[in-house]
């Protein structure tokens, strides 16, 4: 039985598109499944887990869609500014970053904001959760790369970088991460928190995706997609994916097939078959769909978790990466924000109230 799969894309026209994919041996077809028009401005971010689609917009809201029940699931209203990034951690949490400098951690059961962290002095441009779920990275317009201890919500490490980075991402095993500034991508080692190499793309990088622990796919402000080895820093393959610039990329494993999905300003979403054994070869086009919209963000929904070689590798390497991650957990505090009242102030008020009750 073929695994259920849907392409999810957001656009300037305020709509989220869902396309049901029919897989075949040679060619895959896509048909319209749903549209969700809950925003009042263009979409800036999308995140998907096996139950929900979360979308962020310039209208300062996060909208939720229950993909299994095929109904709207409400809005999350905490940010004051454009939602710049969204990422699910499994089935339990959603992290959001915005132009207000906040990172919010949401519980996906009751959709409560568990933590609201003043993360950056400027905008939060990108965030990435470590595979262990214990730490996260963020970059912003204050020219810093920050590591967060998600257990207690404190800052674990702050690194000043010379320019404003717009993408940060962990490798699947979590032993390295990459930071993107314009067309350059720095590769960091987790244990040393130092740069091990730099890859320069020909155009400004718009989206990246790890397909193995060492190989990263890069899309830029052009129609070309490139695959780089983060160890050798060499370009392994490049191919023309679209007629216009590629806005977003995503990768999944369906059965034993490694699939790269690309979305472009030309309105097309395309699915490409990658062969890890012949990574230098141009990927084969499996299928495409024309949304006739100006696409901005991309996600892929799958009916159930897929056991892939990438996940097996990640599990093997994760224990060591978790150890290294724990080393980064320090004691520097950040202030939590709940509405307009800080946690410290709220606790002081609670203590005062208890003392008053005792005296009475």
């Amino acid at each position: 039985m073929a695994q259920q799969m849907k392409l999810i894309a957001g656009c300037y026209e305020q709509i989220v598109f869902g396309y049901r994919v029919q897989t075949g041996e040679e060619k895959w077809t896509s048909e319209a499944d749903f549209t969700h028009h809950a925003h009042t401005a263009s979409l800036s971010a999308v995140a998907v887990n096996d139950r929900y689609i979360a979308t962020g917009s310039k209208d300062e809201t996060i909208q939720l869609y229950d993909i299994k029940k095929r109904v709207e699931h409400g809005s999350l209203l905490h940010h004051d500014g454009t939602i710049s990034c969204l990422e699910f951690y499994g089935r339990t949490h959603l992290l959001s970053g915005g132009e207000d400098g906040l990172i919010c951690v949401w519980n996906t059961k009751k959709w409560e904001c568990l933590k609201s962290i003043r993360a950056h002095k400027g905008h939060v441009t990108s965030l990435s959760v470590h595979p262990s779920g214990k730490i996260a990275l963020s970059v912003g317009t204050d020219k810093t790369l920050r590591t967060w201890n998600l257990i207690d919500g404190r800052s674990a490490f702050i690194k000043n970088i010379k320019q404003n980075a717009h993408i940060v991402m962990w490798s699947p095993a979590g032993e390295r991460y990459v930071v993107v500034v314009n067309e350059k991508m720095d590769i960091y080692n987790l244990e040393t928190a130092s740069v091990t190499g730099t890859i320069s793309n020909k155009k400004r990088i718009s989206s990246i995706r790890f397909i193995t622990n060492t190989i990263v796919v890069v899309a830029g402000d052009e129609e070309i997609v490139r695959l780089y080895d983060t160890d050798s820093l060499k370009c392994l393959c490049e191919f023309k994916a679209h007629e216009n610039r590629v806005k977003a990329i995503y990768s999944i494993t369906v059965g034993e097939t490694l699939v790269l999905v690309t979305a472009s300003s030309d309105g097309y979403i395309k699915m490409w078959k990658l062969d890890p054994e012949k990574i230098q070869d141009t990927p084969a086009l499996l299928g495409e769909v024309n949304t006739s919209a100006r696409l901005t963000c991309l996600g892929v929904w799958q009916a159930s978790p897929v056991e892939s070689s990438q996940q097996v590798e990640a599990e093997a390497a994760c224990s060591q990466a978790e150890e290294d991650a724990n080393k980064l957990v320090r004691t520097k505090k950040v202030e939590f924000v709940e509405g307009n009242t800080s946690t410290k102030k709220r606790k002081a008020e609670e203590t005062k109230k208890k003392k008053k009750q005792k005296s009475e």
Side-chain angles (χ1 to χ4, degrees):
M1 185 179 175
Q3 186 193 1
Q4 290 184 53
M5 169 182 163
K6 293 178 184 180
L7 305 174
I8 313 296
C11 64
Y12 281 109
E13 290 82 3
Q14 309 170 5
I15 297 170
V16 180
F17 297 99
Y19 292 90
R20 189 186 304 112
V21 177
Q22 300 290 337
T23 59
E25 284 189 19
E26 294 296 325
K27 291 293 177 184
W28 293 10
T29 58
S30 305
E31 58 184 38
D33 186 60
F34 68 87
T35 57
H36 184 216
H37 191 174
H39 289 287
T40 58
S42 61
L43 273 77
S44 48
V46 64
V48 183
N49 70 1
D50 63 358
R51 176 70 183 273
Y52 297 105
I53 299 169
T55 55
S57 166
K58 289 186 176 181
D59 65 11
E60 306 181 359
T61 71
I62 299 168
Q63 300 290 339
L64 302 171
Y65 183 82
D66 188 323
I67 199 165
K68 289 188 177 178
K69 293 182 179 178
R70 298 167 65 87
V71 293
E72 291 184 15
H73 198 73
S75 333
L76 304 178
L77 310 171
H78 194 91
H79 287 281
D80 183 18
T82 298
I83 312 301
S84 50
C85 45
L86 294 167
E87 184 172 321
F88 278 104
Y89 179 71
R91 297 178 177 180
T92 57
H93 295 88
L94 171 72
L95 276 76
S96 60
E99 287 189 355
D100 53 6
L102 296 181
I103 291 177
C104 295
V105 182
W106 306 87
N107 178 304
T108 59
K109 193 173 182 181
K110 296 183 178 179
W111 291 106
E112 297 170 325
C113 183
L114 301 176
K115 293 182 177 70
S116 182
I117 306 168
R118 289 203 180 278
H120 290 270
K121 290 176 183 176
H123 303 169
V124 178
T125 51
S126 179
L127 61 83
S128 184
V129 183
H130 189 268
S132 68
K134 292 180 179 179
I135 60 173
L137 297 170
S138 68
V139 289
T141 56
D142 56 0
K143 299 181 181 179
T144 63
L145 163 66
R146 297 176 185 246
T147 307
W148 302 97
N149 176 356
L150 293 179
I151 307 300
D152 59 14
R154 293 176 178 176
S155 176
F157 188 72
I158 300 173
K159 182 178 178 63
N160 291 310
I161 48 184
K162 293 176 182 179
Q163 292 174 284
N164 291 327
H166 62 282
I167 301 174
V168 63
M169 186 174 287
W170 288 104
S171 66
E175 87 291 346
R176 71 183 70 190
Y177 52 93
V178 296
V179 175
V180 177
V181 177
N182 296 322
E183 76 284 354
K184 291 189 177 180
M185 181 167 60
D186 287 333
I187 298 100
Y188 286 78
N189 177 277
L190 169 64
E191 194 173 357
T192 62
S194 60
V195 177
T196 59
T198 300
I199 290 169
S200 293
N201 198 49
K202 290 186 179 179
K203 297 279 187 177
R204 184 183 188 273
I205 295 170
S206 56
S207 184
I208 63 171
R209 189 81 179 182
F210 276 96
I211 55 169
T212 71
N213 284 319
T214 58
I215 297 173
V216 65
V217 184
V218 174
D221 289 345
E222 58 181 336
E223 66 277 11
I224 306 295
V225 170
R226 295 180 178 86
L227 281 70
Y228 290 99
D229 188 322
T230 56
D231 282 334
S232 69
L233 309 178
K234 291 180 179 178
C235 179
L236 303 174
C237 171
E238 66 174 61
F239 64 98
K240 183 180 177 181
H242 291 268
E243 294 303 318
N244 209 324
R245 61 179 178 164
V246 181
K247 291 288 288 184
I249 54 179
Y250 205 91
S251 66
I252 52 164
T253 303
V254 181
E256 294 181 359
T257 305
L258 179 59
V259 180
L260 177 69
V261 185
T262 59
S264 167
S265 299
D266 62 16
Y268 277 87
I269 304 172
K270 296 186 180 183
M271 296 168 285
W272 307 86
K273 183 179 180 180
L274 295 174
D275 187 345
E277 301 300 317
K278 300 175 183 176
I279 209 71
Q280 289 87 359
D281 293 355
T282 300
L285 181 64
L286 289 168
E288 63 183 26
V289 59
N290 184 7
T291 67
S292 300
R294 293 173 297 162
L295 301 177
T296 58
C297 46
L298 176 69
V300 177
W301 176 83
Q302 290 178 288
S304 58
V306 180
E307 191 70 19
S308 66
S309 57
Q310 181 176 316
Q311 287 168 316
V312 172
E313 280 182 61
E315 284 172 15
C318 229
S319 56
Q320 180 58 47
E322 275 189 46
E323 252 179 66
D324 294 336
N326 288 333
K327 290 177 186 176
L328 288 177
V329 176
R330 306 230 168 88
T331 56
K332 184 176 168 71
K333 296 182 180 179
V334 293
E335 184 183 28
F336 288 133
V337 178
E338 296 180 4
N340 294 321
T341 308
S342 71
T343 302
K344 191 175 179 182
K345 188 178 176 184
R346 181 175 54 80
K347 285 184 177 178
E349 286 171 355
E350 285 173 2
T351 305
K352 192 177 177 182
K353 193 176 178 182
K354 283 177 184 177
K355 283 180 179 178
K356 191 178 178 184
Q357 286 171 348
K358 281 181 182 179
S359 63
E360 287 173 355

